Amino acid sequence: MSKHKFTIFSILILLGIITTISFFVKNYESREEIFNEIVENSFKESYEGIIKKKYYLKERGFDVVILEENGTEIQLDYLHEKPNFYDFLKIGDTLIKQNNSNSIIIKRSELDTIIYFKFDNVRGSHLYSENNKFLNK
């Protein structure tokens, strides 16, 4: 009877190891898909307007920028950028994001600059960026 217990225990351990490896492989693929979708959506996005408000949206847990574009308000969250980027933006800045680009032009009375999205806050982004056709090389 002891021999059967050892065999069953060994099979259960082996199944546990296989299940764990399978979970991590699927999780890695899922994170890559999420990252690629974020980059693609940003790449295709376009807007131009003046920052009217900045605030923290507590129920969703991220900072929000309200941009006025042609009389309508657009909510931007920059969830996947470093917090320094949100802090850098000021009310009154003009933001220009063109379609098919990963850059934002920020116009301020004392400053004109271009910021490139690098998606640095996405965990493991360096693993995915090499194969993402929407990232500037």
Side-chain angles (χ1 to χ4, degrees), residues 48-77:
E48 181 175 347
I50 298 172
I51 297 176
K52 293 296 182 184
K53 299 177 202 168
K54 288 175 53 177
Y55 58 90
Y56 180 75
L57 189 59
K58 187 175 182 177
E59 57 271 8
R60 301 224 20 228
F62 54 79
D63 297 311
V64 174
V65 172
I66 301 295
L67 196 68
E68 186 178 309
E69 179 180 36
N70 299 326
T72 61
E73 290 186 348
I74 299 170
Q75 178 176 311
L76 305 172
D77 57 44

Side-chain angles (χ1 to χ4, degrees), residues 2 5 7 16 32 56-57 70 73 82 86 88 90-91 94 96 100 104 116 128 133:
S2 172
K5 285 184 180 180
T7 304
E32 183 174 12
Y56 180 75
L57 189 59
N70 299 326
E73 290 186 348
K82 292 189 179 213
Y86 174 83
F88 179 75
K90 293 183 179 180
I91 293 175
T94 298
I96 302 168
N100 299 324
I104 293 181
Y116 292 96
Y128 313 129
K133 65 183 178 182

Side-chain angles (χ1 to χ4, degrees), residues 2-14:
S2 172
K3 187 177 181 181
H4 292 297
K5 285 184 180 180
F6 178 75
T7 304
I8 291 172
F9 181 73
S10 298
I11 291 172
L12 288 175
I13 293 289
L14 185 60

